[in-house]
Amino acid sequence: MVAMAKLLLVLAVAILTISMVESKLKETNNAEEQHQLERVNGQGGQKNGKGSLQSSQCPEQCLRRCSQTRYKKPCLFFCLKCCRACLCVPSGYYGNKEECPCYNNWKTKRGGPRCP
């Protein structure tokens, strides 16, 4: 019985530790994204290259932007994320990213484009 209680205690501590680590990783990733956005957009999060869209217009613009790809779900996910941050979606189905500096300059950790 005592061995069972010790095992349960160890298991509970392990689960608690894992959840704390996951929480810390999420906080770190969010902070890194925010820092990168601030760097791309200019000082203090002011969006120098921000577009004229309202966030309510993002779904419609991203549906247009992602309509020709085979990978609709990931395209829509990242397009919406970028549109809400930059308030801009480039014209056309591909390319034209120079129209939206924030959208164009937001990169992944590996340096690749974050926005489709």
Side-chain angles (χ1 to χ4, degrees):
M1 191 61 128
V2 173
M4 178 83 81
K6 285 182 180 180
L7 180 63
L8 286 175
L9 181 61
V10 168
L11 190 58
V13 169
I15 290 172
L16 183 62
T17 303
I18 289 171
S19 67
M20 288 173 59
V21 168
E22 285 178 345
S23 174
K24 205 60 154 164
L25 283 173
K26 285 180 185 177
E27 287 176 17
T28 302
N29 285 342
N30 288 340
E32 286 175 6
E33 274 188 13
Q34 184 62 35
H35 176 71
Q36 187 177 14
L37 257 182
E38 287 176 0
R39 187 174 47 81
V40 166
N41 292 328
Q43 307 146 312
Q46 289 185 342
K47 296 178 173 73
N48 296 332
K50 113 175 152 175
S52 59
L53 289 179
Q54 294 182 2
S55 61
S56 62
Q57 296 172 299
C58 289
E60 178 184 338
Q61 292 300 314
C62 287
L63 280 172
R64 174 194 50 78
R65 179 80 174 168
C66 296
S67 66
Q68 300 293 313
T69 184
R70 292 183 194 175
Y71 309 103
K72 287 198 183 347
K73 283 186 180 183
C75 181
L76 285 171
F77 175 81
F78 288 108
C79 181
L80 286 169
K81 186 174 190 170
C82 294
C83 181
R84 289 193 178 112
C86 301
L87 299 177
C88 183
V89 177
S91 64
Y93 307 113
Y94 183 80
N96 305 320
K97 291 184 181 182
E98 65 280 353
E99 296 174 3
C100 303
C102 167
Y103 195 98
N104 188 37
N105 297 332
W106 198 7
K107 305 292 183 194
T108 63
K109 290 179 187 176
R110 294 181 179 172
R114 183 174 296 270
C115 305

